[in-house]
Amino acid sequence: MIIAEQKPLDEILAAIGDAKKILVLGCGACVTICFAGGAKEVGILASQIRIASSKAGKDVEVTEDTIERQCENEFFDRVKEKAAEADVVLSIACGVGVQTIIEVFPEKIVFAGLNTTFYGRPKEPGLFTEYCEGCGSCILNATGGICPIARCSKSLLNGPCGGSENGKCEVDPLNIECAWHLIHERLKSIGRLDLMEQVSPPKDWSTSSSGGVRRIVREDLREVKL
Amino acid sequence: MKSNSNLEKILESGKFAVTSELGPPKGPDVSAIEKKAAFLKGNVDAVNLTDNQTAIVRLSSIASAHILIELGLEPVMQMVCRDRNRIAMQSDLFGACALGVRNMLCLSGDHQCFGNHPTAKSVYDIDSIQLIATVKKMRDDGKVICGDDIEGAFEMFIGAAENPFADPFETRVPRLAKKVAAGVDFIQTQCIYDMNRFKEWMRGVRERGLDKKVHILAGLAPLKSAGMANYMNKKVAGVSVPEDIINRMKGVPKEQQAEEGIKICLEQIEEIKQIEGVHGVHIMAIEWEHKVREIVERAGLLPRPAA
Ligand code: SF4
Ligand code: SF4
């Protein structure tokens, strides 16, 4: 899923500025699961804004809501009225959610309350780690199911580099596991160490964000043919 | 001959090679290169020019290599994968070749988090092994990665680094095999302090016959002080300094530690000369370039052979 974390409160307050009516809008999907932008976080952030505003002597009205998913138009119907009443919508969904609001309510000023960070998962309670970069041409089948693009600090396709020590990456030996150490261990355990010796050619990055803005067309799902 | 470089000729004729390293200045100060080059001239066969080493912005390795040629020394231009994509790298390789550079070293590069621009975007479009294969394709097939023909002859003696001390140890011989398969001509190793582990690695290298396919130069970084020994052990990723060496450095008074470091280095050179499959030494005397002549001389490696 998409992992995000809340921006510092000061940055959020600076963004909303002198707005009088603010709708804090959460999302029930990824950001709820990673405790950054669900109903609970909406409530906390709304209270923080109210407290900060009253401290600053500002008369601000903060409303709250959380919809099922901010990345799909259909879920916005329920908050149409609330949004119409607000001067600004402060979204605490991922960056996709923020941009969806702009398309659904083009007349609204929308601010982002989160920093959208990576595709990952909660590895342990309170620990979220990155697993995928959406490179558009998955190589997991050649790397024992461990992604060196997202999980090697240098995205090496022929690792490990000379900085791998005790299973850790030179970039942060306390906290980052060396992906190529993990790949080596995994390939060993499944009897495929031969894959470690195959020279991977330069990757086709045109399927990644380097190739320009990406889209997928599924003719079978389309109502109007392109 | 692949490049006609001095280094290639020495290695191909079976002579014991000596290379060293020069860190370019943090600006266009040519005199800094001239000063260091003067210490190295005539004392080594070729000199590595580091490429924004430890991710600190410095005079480019291409320009530095060219300055070195003008000063009458032979450069080994280092190139890291951190800062340039395949378009810029191949273009710069043309440029280097056009300026007379005939040796290069393909490296992943230290991550930018270690340098003076930790907020930079990293590139890593291709990695060091893919870079080796790229340079080989340019040289032997006369083609760039996409398959387009190169105009003019591209000559280059292709080097890479290898770190026998990084983990997992089991990957370190296969990794060399991979570099050989990609087309590397010579290897300069990470600096050796743990001679036993180096010898173990070399055994593995010989078992697979890799020493017959690539010239291995053993990397040495003479210790200036006990403090440096400690620092290298604790702070430099993929380097370990054994207890006995640290103790030996600590065991002599401060003002004699530099001499002790040189003695250790000389003993290492003697040991390395006896290891089958090692074809030279790479002496990394960072900011200690003026000691290189003394080390090479006391190791009995002067005069350097005319190629
Ligand atoms: S190879 Fe690409 S698609 Fe597959 S996990 Fe890694 S980044 Fe994601
Ligand atoms: S130490 Fe491992 S994870 Fe870190 S850059 Fe090197 S190969 Fe990648």
Side-chain angles (χ1 to χ4, degrees), chain B residues 184-202:
Chain B
V184 77
D185 300 312
F186 71 99
I187 291 286
Q188 292 168 329
T189 73
Q190 175 64 282
C191 50
I192 302 164
Y193 297 105
D194 187 344
M195 197 53 84
N196 291 334
R197 184 151 164 179
F198 179 66
K199 285 181 176 165
E200 196 185 331
W201 180 73
M202 278 305 300

Side-chain angles (χ1 to χ4, degrees), chain B residues 220 222 259-273 294-300:
Chain B
L220 295 170
E259 171 58 21
E260 196 63 25
I262 289 178
K263 271 193 199 143
I264 293 171
C265 183
L266 292 169
E267 291 163 21
Q268 288 174 322
I269 296 176
E270 280 316 305
E271 230 176 320
I272 284 161
K273 282 185 193 161
E294 181 187 333
I295 294 169
V296 179
E297 190 167 35
R298 286 169 66 183

Side-chain angles (χ1 to χ4, degrees), chain A residues 142-210:
Chain A
T143 57
I146 291 157
C147 174
I149 295 168
R151 297 172 69 186
C152 162
S153 300
K154 298 174 187 168
S155 296
L156 304 178
L157 295 184
N158 296 282
C161 78
S164 180
E165 220 173 77
N166 298 319
K168 300 293 187 195
C169 171
E170 64 171 26
V171 167
D172 182 355
L174 288 177
N175 298 309
I176 303 178
E177 288 180 291
C178 169
W180 277 101
H181 183 100
L182 296 174
I183 292 169
H184 175 257
E185 296 303 304
R186 173 74 186 159
L187 291 175
K188 192 157 95 182
S189 77
I190 60 170
R192 289 304 310 271
L193 273 183
D194 59 298
L195 290 171
M196 280 297 286
E197 284 205 37
Q198 269 175 28
V199 177
S200 295
K203 187 169 164 63
D204 175 358
W205 293 110
S206 68
T207 58
S208 76
S209 60
S210 293

Side-chain angles (χ1 to χ4, degrees), chain A residues 2-5 115-119 130:
Chain A
I2 293 177
I3 308 291
E5 61 182 346
N115 289 321
T116 304
T117 314
F118 51 77
Y119 305 156
E130 182 166 18

